[in-house]
Amino acid sequence: TFQLTVSDGSLSSNDLVTITVNPPSDTTPPTASITSPLNGATVARGSVVSISATATDNVGVTQVQFFINGKLLSTDISAPYSASWKVPAAKGKTYQIQAIATDKAGNIGRSAIIKVTAK
């Protein structure tokens, strides 16, 4: 119930008054987790590796970005979230993979960084 009082008499009982109630803002970041490959895995040089992640949020995930050594590889906008990565030819090099999820309010959640080594 709302009571509207106008001290200058500019409204009558027949006037239409619109009241807008804004919902509370979303401040909860999404969660993201890489499900494949596993941390510590060895990957073949020159092969194409499928990277998979899960992401959840109280309002809704809008995208998941995949990063290799801090550099954007790709963006997926719908679950199941995945990316394809062609492993460079450098033998014995370790790569860091991370997924970053964004929700409808612009909050971000980062997965743990996993490390894989090219053989």
Side-chain angles (χ1 to χ4, degrees):
T1 303
F2 294 96
Q3 178 178 356
L4 179 63
T5 304
V6 179
S7 60
D8 67 1
S10 61
L11 290 177
S12 72
S13 61
N14 293 328
D15 288 334
L16 177 64
V17 175
T18 301
I19 298 173
T20 302
V21 178
N22 293 323
S25 62
D26 175 20
T27 59
T28 304
T31 60
S33 178
I34 295 177
T35 56
S36 178
L38 297 176
N39 190 38
T42 301
V43 293
R45 295 179 290 142
S47 68
V48 176
V49 173
S50 179
I51 303 170
S52 301
T54 59
T56 58
D57 184 66
N58 63 324
V59 176
V61 173
T62 58
Q63 70 177 12
V64 173
Q65 296 177 304
F66 293 90
F67 291 83
I68 306 293
N69 290 347
K71 196 172 177 188
L72 180 63
L73 171 68
S74 70
T75 301
D76 195 345
I77 59 170
S78 61
Y81 303 104
S82 64
S84 292
W85 171 50
K86 182 164 181 169
V87 180
K91 184 177 182 181
K93 183 166 180 174
T94 299
Y95 297 93
Q96 296 182 353
I97 304 172
Q98 187 174 40
I100 298 179
T102 305
D103 70 10
K104 293 178 181 181
N107 300 311
I108 61 169
R110 301 172 191 272
S111 73
I113 293 173
I114 67 156
K115 295 178 181 180
V116 297
T117 302
K119 64 175 181 176

